[in-house]
Amino acid sequence: MNTQHTERRDDVVAAPSRFPLREVILFGALLAMILGVYAMMGSAYSTRMLVEAACYAILALGLTIQWGYAGQFNAGVMGFVALGSFATMFFSVPVNEAFWGTELPGELGLALLYVTAAVLIVYGATKLDRIGVPKTLRTLIAMVLAVALYLTVISVLREVTGEIESRAGFIGGLGLPAWSGWIVGGALAGVIGYFIGHICLGLRSDYLAIATLGIAEIIKAFLKNSDWLTRGTATVSPLPWPTPGPSELGFTLARALYLSLTAVMIAAIFFLLHRAYHAPWGRMIRAIRDNEISAAAMGKDINKRRLEIFVLGCILMGIGGGALASFNSIFDPNGFLPLNHTFLVLVMVILGGPGNNLGTIFGAVAVYIIWLMSEPLALFLMHGAAALGEGWFGWEPPGNLDSRALQARVFVIGLLITLVLRFAPQGLLPEKVKHHG
């Protein structure tokens, strides 16, 4: 009996592996595309493009484990990117002595203590049914307390925040290294994702997308209107880098060093996700995705595992948002757009292949290059067409070619996703599903 098991195991090990021809061709084409951009746009611009593409790759990896591993369609990527960016700003910006050198921190702490107490009181009211209070009366008591405490606490908080804005501008930062903000940004996004998951993961995929999209807009609105905390539309800049900046090394070398840091982060994330995907945990997650009823019949805790994968994806989105904010050296709540920070990440995952980590990295870099280069290429073609029309037919060229070329980005991305969904619905590097038996 042992001999049979040994022979069977040897047969499995000795099975020839497929040469990754598709991967070699696609990444070879991607390398040629990158070299072409370097030749056209120069090293400084091209290196900046690769750094931003690497940050987007981290965001895309967060989405692919939610959508590809567990089938959770998160349309609120923008919100978790904003949380990571905010944490990076708050931890890395220098300390504001105009705030910390006054009595304002104590007043703000007291107001936040009132907020915490109000939340705990309302939460306790929702548990009154455990001591015999009828559920209808419990709900009524909780609603009345929530409204009354909100009106009381918000007036106190507004008074304190108004003083902060008038006397100090905003509370400032903590003056810590930028990488600490990345870590806290990932943790903050994970904590918010945990509470969102408890509420939303019971919804079906389309309703989950709507809910996460709305929550992302709420997060953006909060950051945009909290001038005392984020300076709102006035923005906060410059944000320090975790590596030596352009003033010390020059644009190209500083960006290359930043690119090396993000490449190491992607390699570490890829290694951990690869191990998790092929571990029993990863097989369990995919079993829940493919047949939730069967997985539940086998004794798996469906809600717990779905919440785990959702929180993990949110953590990666927070880290990627922090890295992107540090590199751009500015925190601007108005700059978080669903098109740039949700839809574009979605296209990256679709192009690369949901559930395939290598394909997601390929899709992130390829789509971001197409996104950036579509504008100058469209402008070049428009100027060429305008010159021909003026020379041959005497047409007067329009004066807003630059804005029209910028709009070409959306057209090109829309055309790209249409072609991919038509000819490669599983992505250019689809998930490799192993069949046993």
Side-chain angles (χ1 to χ4, degrees):
M1 196 71 174
N2 294 335
T3 305
Q4 293 178 355
H5 282 299
T6 303
E7 291 176 354
R8 193 171 301 166
R9 192 179 298 113
D10 291 340
D11 291 340
V12 173
V13 173
S17 58
R18 179 186 68 87
F19 179 75
L21 180 61
R22 175 182 291 192
E23 288 83 350
V24 171
I25 293 175
L26 289 176
F27 276 92
L30 181 61
L31 178 60
M33 188 186 304
I34 293 173
L35 294 177
V37 174
Y38 266 86
M40 291 176 56
M41 308 300 294
S43 58
Y45 178 91
S46 303
T47 307
R48 174 185 176 180
M49 174 195 69
L50 289 180
V51 174
E52 293 174 346
C55 296
Y56 270 91
I58 299 175
L59 304 179
L61 286 171
L63 181 60
T64 200
I65 61 175
Q66 290 178 341
W67 185 25
Y69 287 16
Q72 301 169 359
F73 190 75
N74 181 2
V77 178
M78 177 191 71
F80 301 105
V81 173
L83 289 173
S85 301
F86 161 71
T88 299
M89 180 276 295
F90 182 70
F91 272 75
S92 61
V93 166
V95 175
N96 184 6
E97 294 296 339
F99 169 75
W100 293 103
T102 64
E103 75 285 357
L104 291 175
E107 295 179 3
L108 179 62
L110 185 60
L112 294 178
L113 185 62
Y114 290 157
V115 173
T116 304
V119 171
L120 292 177
I121 291 172
V122 174
Y123 178 76
T126 62
K127 304 298 181 181
L128 288 176
D129 57 311
R130 296 185 178 182
I131 59 175
V133 178
K135 290 186 176 181
T136 303
L137 180 59
R138 175 210 64 184
T139 303
L140 180 62
I141 293 174
M143 292 177 61
V144 171
L145 282 175
V147 173
L149 291 174
Y150 172 79
L151 294 176
T152 302
V153 169
I154 200 66
S155 62
V156 175
L157 188 61
R158 283 178 177 170
E159 182 178 351
V160 176
T161 56
E163 281 291 313
I164 294 174
E165 293 173 14
S166 62
R167 294 171 56 183
F170 80 124
I171 66 176
L174 300 179
L176 298 175
W179 56 263
S180 64
W182 300 1
I183 296 174
V184 176
L188 178 61
V191 170
I192 299 299
Y194 178 83
F195 288 105
I196 293 173
H198 264 298
I199 300 171
C200 298
L201 287 183
L203 302 174
R204 295 181 180 271
S205 59
D206 46 355
Y207 296 108
L208 175 62
I210 295 172
T212 51
L213 179 62
I215 291 169
E217 291 294 339
I218 292 173
I219 293 173
K220 176 183 175 180
F222 171 77
L223 296 176
K224 179 181 175 181
N225 293 287
S226 300
D227 292 0
W228 62 276
L229 184 63
T230 65
R231 293 194 71 203
T233 56
T235 74
V236 180
S237 65
L239 304 186
W241 284 13
T243 58
S247 61
E248 304 170 55
L249 301 178
F251 281 104
T252 302
L253 186 57
R255 291 172 178 175
L257 186 59
Y258 202 107
L259 176 62
S260 302
L261 176 60
T262 54
V264 170
M265 292 171 58
I266 291 174
I269 294 170
F270 178 86
F271 173 76
L272 294 175
L273 292 182
H274 181 78
R275 293 291 299 271
Y277 181 88
H278 294 285
W281 179 84
R283 291 192 290 270
M284 176 182 57
I285 292 297
R286 297 195 302 278
I288 294 173
R289 174 197 65 188
D290 295 335
N291 196 324
E292 185 175 314
I293 297 177
S294 298
M298 295 174 65
K300 305 302 180 183
D301 192 337
I302 305 297
N303 293 331
K304 181 178 179 180
R305 301 309 174 192
R306 293 182 69 191
L307 185 59
E308 284 177 357
I309 204 73
F310 188 78
V311 170
L312 179 58
C314 293
I315 290 173
L316 293 183
M317 293 172 188
I319 295 174
L324 187 61
S326 292
F327 180 71
N328 290 329
S329 196
I330 186 173
F331 176 76
D332 179 13
N334 268 338
F336 300 111
L337 304 172
L339 176 62
N340 291 12
H341 299 102
T342 296
F343 179 72
L344 195 61
V345 180
L346 175 64
V347 175
M348 292 171 178
V349 175
I350 292 175
L351 177 69
N356 188 325
N357 299 324
L358 189 63
T360 298
I361 295 173
F362 168 83
V365 178
V367 169
Y368 196 74
I369 292 175
I370 294 172
W371 173 258
L372 283 189
M373 295 305 297
S374 57
E375 179 187 359
L377 290 177
L379 187 60
F380 173 78
L381 294 176
M382 287 179 180
H383 279 299
L388 290 177
E390 186 178 11
W392 290 0
F393 304 103
W395 294 344
E396 183 178 352
N400 57 346
L401 290 180
D402 291 347
S403 60
R404 295 189 181 189
L406 184 61
Q407 296 169 3
R409 285 181 172 184
V410 181
F411 169 77
V412 171
I413 291 297
L415 178 62
L416 176 65
I417 193 173
T418 302
L419 294 175
V420 171
L421 292 176
R422 173 62 181 86
F423 297 104
Q426 301 300 320
L428 297 181
L429 292 172
E431 179 183 9
K432 298 178 182 178
V433 180
K434 293 184 179 180
H435 300 280
H436 302 277

